[in-house]
Amino acid sequence: MEISRMSERGMASAESDRRGFLRGTAAAVAAAGTGVLFSGTTYAVQAYSQTGKIASGKIPLPPVGTNIPCSMYAANVPLKLNALGALTLDFKGGINLHVRSSNTDGLTLEVVEFRVEADTSPSTPNSGTVFVLKRSNASLAPLSTVTADGQAFLRIPLTVATVDKATEQETAIASSDPAKYATLSAQNTKAFPPVNQHYGLREPVAFYAPGGSAEQGSEVLGGLEGFDVIVNHAQ
């Protein structure tokens, strides 16, 4: 399997971005793992409900331009990589959503950032491997949607990477097909931004070498079999 490596400068930049993004959601992730609600979330939902623009019986929705950082915690995720076999991992991290359009019927959202990490050896901070699922740089990523009657779909082009904890070197090893995306869905949501909201992977996602695709006949290097995640607004 061919593995693409980042340049030293790009590695440092990526590591800085990684730390900054995860730092912003670290406290929220800890709370999400224990089911704790965030005070900022409650305030935000109450504020949106006071706009008077939401039809009766529909969940209140944020206005255009709102940035919505969220923590994510997913336990027992089945990830298959041909070179390593079937893995079961616990991922923690976050997602950052930007509201592109908003009306009484629903939202369209852009997934600006998505990154979750699974540490395979948490008791050894200076050795071992961290597995990463993150938003790929696909140029035509579709918009995500939330309807005012509680249906939500987050669409994310994925890259799988590993981080060597000893060197902090990150290596991209596989990506989803550029024409296909991971879709996380939630039904009957009661609030948005999300509060202790469960999202699930609608269908498995196949992984190819970076730049590969089904259309090119590229070899399938593995897949994401499921992803049940708890999402909380991290404001």
Side-chain angles (χ1 to χ4, degrees):
M1 175 175 62
E2 180 181 358
I3 296 178
S4 61
R5 297 186 178 275
M6 302 169 68
S7 67
E8 183 175 350
R9 178 177 298 177
M11 199 83 67
S13 175
E15 178 60 19
S16 176
D17 291 346
R18 178 178 79 93
R19 287 179 173 178
F21 179 48
L22 294 178
R23 189 182 302 117
T25 58
V29 167
T34 58
V36 177
L37 303 185
F38 301 106
S39 60
T41 302
T42 303
Y43 173 81
V45 171
Q46 289 175 345
Y48 297 140
S49 68
Q50 293 169 2
T51 62
K53 297 180 180 180
I54 305 301
S56 177
K58 296 183 178 181
I59 64 171
L61 297 172
V64 171
T66 303
N67 287 313
I68 306 172
C70 299
S71 69
M72 306 186 90
Y73 175 73
N76 301 317
V77 173
L79 176 67
K80 181 180 179 182
L81 297 171
N82 294 354
L84 299 174
L87 306 170
T88 301
L89 303 170
D90 293 346
F91 284 94
K92 297 179 181 181
I95 189 170
N96 193 7
L97 304 169
H98 181 77
V99 179
R100 294 280 296 271
S101 70
S102 177
N103 55 49
T104 56
D105 295 321
L107 305 172
T108 58
L109 303 162
E110 179 182 359
V111 177
V112 179
E113 292 178 284
F114 168 79
R115 185 183 182 98
V116 292
E117 298 185 350
D119 190 341
T120 60
S121 53
S123 62
T124 56
N126 297 317
S127 66
T129 301
V130 173
F131 285 89
V132 179
L133 294 175
K134 63 179 182 177
R135 185 194 185 284
S136 71
N137 294 323
S139 58
L140 297 176
L143 292 177
S144 300
T145 56
V146 177
T147 63
D149 60 0
Q151 312 301 305
F153 301 92
L154 305 180
R155 301 178 177 93
I156 311 167
L158 288 179
T159 288
V160 185
T162 58
V163 176
D164 185 317
K165 292 166 63 178
T167 64
E168 296 188 342
Q169 178 173 319
E170 179 170 319
T171 302
I173 59 176
S175 295
S176 56
D177 189 311
K180 295 183 180 294
Y181 310 93
T183 299
L184 304 178
S185 65
Q187 309 298 316
N188 301 316
T189 60
K190 303 301 182 183
F192 195 88
V195 180
N196 284 350
Q197 181 64 54
H198 170 266
Y199 280 78
L201 188 68
R202 295 201 75 194
E203 59 183 19
V205 179
F207 291 128
Y208 304 86
S213 67
E215 184 178 5
Q216 297 173 8
S218 303
E219 177 187 2
V220 175
L221 301 182
L224 185 63
E225 305 293 326
F227 194 80
D228 289 316
V229 61
I230 299 299
V231 183
N232 266 292
H233 189 204
Q235 181 174 324

